Amino acid sequence: MRVIACRTPFGKGGLGQHFAFLVEESRASGELAGYYAHTIKPGDERIGHLVDFVKLTALKRYSPLRFMPTWMGYVGEEVFDKRVARQLDVRADAFMGFVGKSLHTFGKARALGYTQLELIAANSHVRNVQRRHAEAARQLGIRDTWLNDALARKTLREYDAADVIYTHSEYTRASLIEGGVPERKLKRTFLTADPRFVPPVERTPDGRFRIVYIGRIDATKGVPLLIEAFTRLQHPDAELTLVGGWATSVMKRKVQEWIARDPRIRLAPGDPVPVLHRADIYVHPTYEDGFAYAPVEALACGVPVIVTEDTGMKERVREGENGFVVPTGSWEAILERLEYVVKHPLTFDAGACAPTPAMGE
């Protein structure tokens, strides 16, 4: 039996979806003993355990940490990890946690007699993440990484402590091996989009060329590169929709400036499905993503994708059929592929893009 913990609300955002997938997979196989999270699924009051964040919210609003996002993130991970360790009282065989949030709980689980410690590597090796985020800052002049060296050191200790590390892409798996993690610890798993991501029943072309990005709007995700490519795209009726929010005031100001200069760019927070059902292409210009749910959801909706070499789900892209993989950090490469798709729209079978193996296969 397994206990799972994740700081992100159940089913919210990429990490929350990842968490929900693992909970449901363990539930379906009869291995779920319980889970700990900031929010729980309705009806799970018996096995879902809430982890309180009231004091952390006060820190974010009133302490000097609110001006230091990487330290705020580190403190948040530490507070969650320590509270789960304090609350953990479910008897089970295995504890599963996410990187950066599990070291203290690993110790408590061992003390309770858990025989297996499992770690979810949502990103590539933490040192690779640092390198890729540093490159984003160097190229774009915006440093908005969520990762500092204290969190990186904690993650390295989690790699050492874990008995099993789950990876969800070959990109992540290869980076961990290159970073010195023993291959015997690694277990490959496969993630899929939520069933609600399906192609629209009908779509009537109206002459517009709609480009979509979904996710956190920041430099490490490469959003400024997409903006640069879009502003140079020669198409009278092109439009770009950004679905998501920013993590820093710098990016908030940048987004407002982009929209003020070019009314074809719009922000549309909320459910991404209606936006995807109108999209012609999805672009994921990230500097690093261990997997990336959003482009997988786009493929599930029948929308072709442009993703970078540092996106884990790139292995699901069939070049020239359902999308393209471009060099990381190149707005020129993004622009070239956008221009191609304008002239040569891609159509494909959405159902053929998602593998079906269960967790641990």
Side-chain angles (χ1 to χ4, degrees):
M1 297 294 286
R2 173 185 291 117
V3 173
I4 308 175
C6 183
R7 179 185 172 192
T8 306
F10 191 99
K12 301 295 184 182
L15 201 62
Q17 291 181 66
H18 200 151
F19 172 48
F21 177 90
L22 296 170
V23 167
E24 297 306 332
E25 194 74 19
S26 295
R27 193 198 311 266
S29 64
E31 297 176 337
L32 184 63
Y35 65 86
Y36 291 79
H38 181 40
T39 65
I40 63 176
K41 182 180 180 180
D44 273 358
E45 288 75 14
R46 186 179 62 83
I47 61 171
H49 304 269
L50 287 172
V51 182
D52 178 35
F53 270 80
V54 174
K55 292 182 181 178
L56 185 60
T57 301
L59 268 179
K60 182 178 286 189
R61 288 181 179 174
Y62 306 116
S63 82
L65 286 175
R66 69 186 187 276
F67 303 115
M68 298 178 283
T70 58
W71 278 104
M72 189 68 238
Y74 172 72
V75 169
E77 308 291 42
E78 277 286 279
V79 168
F80 176 81
D81 187 6
K82 289 180 177 180
R83 287 182 180 174
V84 174
R86 187 168 63 245
Q87 292 179 220
L88 185 65
D89 60 1
V90 178
R91 297 293 172 176
D93 305 304
F95 172 79
M96 175 185 284
F98 285 73
V99 292
K101 312 166 180 62
S102 303
L103 187 64
H104 302 290
T105 312
F106 274 0
K108 177 66 174 293
R110 283 290 195 219
L112 290 175
Y114 285 48
T115 56
Q116 182 155 289
L117 303 179
E118 302 174 336
L119 191 65
I120 303 299
N123 292 89
S124 61
H125 191 283
V126 69
R127 293 305 188 194
N128 183 61
V129 177
Q130 286 185 308
R131 289 191 295 271
R132 299 311 309 145
H133 285 193
E135 178 63 14
R138 186 193 68 78
Q139 273 195 291
L140 304 176
I142 303 171
R143 188 179 186 278
D144 55 10
T145 180
W146 45 265
L147 177 64
N148 65 12
D149 205 53
L151 186 56
R153 290 194 301 270
K154 179 181 180 180
T155 300
L156 292 173
R157 293 175 66 190
E158 290 171 340
Y159 292 161
D160 289 339
D163 299 305
V164 176
I165 301 175
Y166 291 102
T167 68
H168 309 290
S169 69
E170 286 305 309
Y171 171 73
T172 296
R173 183 177 181 277
S175 75
L176 288 168
I177 294 172
E178 184 178 346
V181 176
E183 190 171 358
R184 60 177 170 75
K185 284 191 176 188
L186 305 181
K187 184 172 288 190
R188 177 64 201 271
T189 66
F190 298 85
L191 302 177
T192 58
D194 188 277
R196 72 192 186 92
F197 288 92
V198 295
V201 175
E202 183 180 12
R203 182 181 171 190
T204 304
D206 60 3
R208 290 188 176 276
F209 183 67
R210 294 181 170 88
I211 305 164
V212 173
Y213 166 81
I214 299 168
R216 195 172 66 252
I217 300 173
D218 63 23
T220 64
K221 293 293 188 180
V223 176
L225 298 171
L226 173 55
I227 298 296
E228 185 71 26
F230 175 74
T231 57
R232 294 169 181 263
L233 180 64
Q234 299 299 309
H235 190 294
D237 291 307
E239 63 179 48
L240 171 61
T241 301
L242 307 174
V243 182
W246 44 76
T248 66
S249 58
V250 172
M251 284 309 297
K252 178 180 179 180
R253 185 168 63 253
K254 287 285 186 183
V255 171
Q256 291 170 339
E257 290 173 358
W258 292 332
I259 293 174
R261 285 198 304 264
D262 192 337
R264 301 176 304 160
I265 302 172
R266 70 188 189 100
L267 193 64
D271 186 0
V273 172
V275 177
L276 287 172
H277 281 178
R278 296 189 298 272
D280 294 287
I281 188 77
Y282 173 90
V283 182
H284 200 73
T286 188
Y287 279 83
E288 191 281 335
D289 255 304
F291 178 67
Y293 260 108
V296 172
E297 293 165 349
L299 291 178
C301 288
V303 179
V305 301
I306 298 171
V307 304
T308 66
E309 286 283 357
D310 286 276
T311 310
M313 63 73 60
K314 67 183 179 180
E315 63 200 49
R316 303 191 188 183
V317 176
R318 301 191 301 272
E319 195 76 10
E321 295 182 28
N322 66 356
F324 300 96
V325 180
V326 299
T328 304
S330 173
W331 63 260
E332 296 93 339
I334 295 172
L335 175 59
E336 180 184 353
R337 290 312 186 186
L338 287 174
E339 291 173 336
Y340 179 89
V341 176
V342 166
K343 298 176 182 177
H344 310 282
L346 304 181
T347 58
F348 60 94
D349 177 10
C353 297
T356 56
M359 187 177 72
E361 292 189 6

